[in-house]
């Protein structure tokens, strides 16, 4: 049973924007802090953005000021708005339900299948 489904990836030129979406099963959405991760080719997976337990947000330094995490509780959907994209943002992006809120290192309890983002220069 697929519980996290991402969409919205694609190819864009540097400086462009994309918005990723992640539809989340209800029991997961309400119980976990949700986050976005990414993994570039040959690189380790890294946390990008997350909601904390108090509703605040956390961002990786590499994306601060360019990416925005948001959610729609009525749709149980997580979003990642990505602006001013750079070639180094090229990666497969995953939404995840964090094992521990505010802790990217602990990783996710549940993962989506990933959606690819390619940024060309």
């Amino acid at each position: 049973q697929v519980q996290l489904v991402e969409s919205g990836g694609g190819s864009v030129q540097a400086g462009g924007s994309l918005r990723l979406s992640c539809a989340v099963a209800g029991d997961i959405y309400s119980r976990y802090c949700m986050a976005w991760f990414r993994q570039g080719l040959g690189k380790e997976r890294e946390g990008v953005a997350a909601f904390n337990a108090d509703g605040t947000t956390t961002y990786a330094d590499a994306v601060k000021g360019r990416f925005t995490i948001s959610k729609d509780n009525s749709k149980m959907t997580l979003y990642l708005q990505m602006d001013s994209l750079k070639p180094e943002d090229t990666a497969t992006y995953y939404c995840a339900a964090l094992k521990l809120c505010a802790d990217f290192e602990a990783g996710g309890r549940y993962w989506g299948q990933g959606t690819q983002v390619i940024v060309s220069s």
Side-chain angles (χ1 to χ4, degrees):
Q1 181 180 359
V2 179
Q3 303 189 81
L4 290 82
V5 181
E6 299 103 333
S7 61
S11 297
V12 65
Q13 289 193 327
S17 298
L18 284 173
R19 189 177 79 155
L20 307 182
S21 300
C22 177
V24 185
D27 57 341
I28 294 174
Y29 187 89
S30 62
R31 290 170 53 198
Y32 291 89
C33 291
M34 300 302 299
W36 289 97
F37 288 77
R38 68 184 181 185
Q39 187 167 18
L41 191 63
K43 298 180 181 179
E44 292 188 355
R45 185 175 59 203
E46 60 178 351
V48 174
F51 276 102
N52 304 316
D54 61 0
T56 57
T57 54
T58 296
Y59 294 93
D61 288 344
V63 306
K64 280 181 181 176
R66 300 188 298 120
F67 290 13
T68 303
I69 189 172
S70 64
K71 57 184 178 177
D72 185 332
N73 293 335
S74 67
K75 297 180 180 179
M76 293 185 291
T77 300
L78 185 72
Y79 302 100
L80 185 68
Q81 177 66 41
M82 305 185 293
D83 298 318
S84 302
L85 282 161
K86 304 175 181 180
E88 51 263 44
D89 295 319
T90 295
T92 299
Y93 285 71
Y94 301 88
C95 69
L98 292 175
K99 289 181 180 178
L100 295 173
C101 290
D103 189 343
F104 285 131
E105 293 300 316
R109 177 75 64 192
Y110 300 97
W111 295 91
Q113 81 285 357
T115 186
Q116 191 170 32
V117 171
I118 300 172
V119 184
S120 58
S121 57

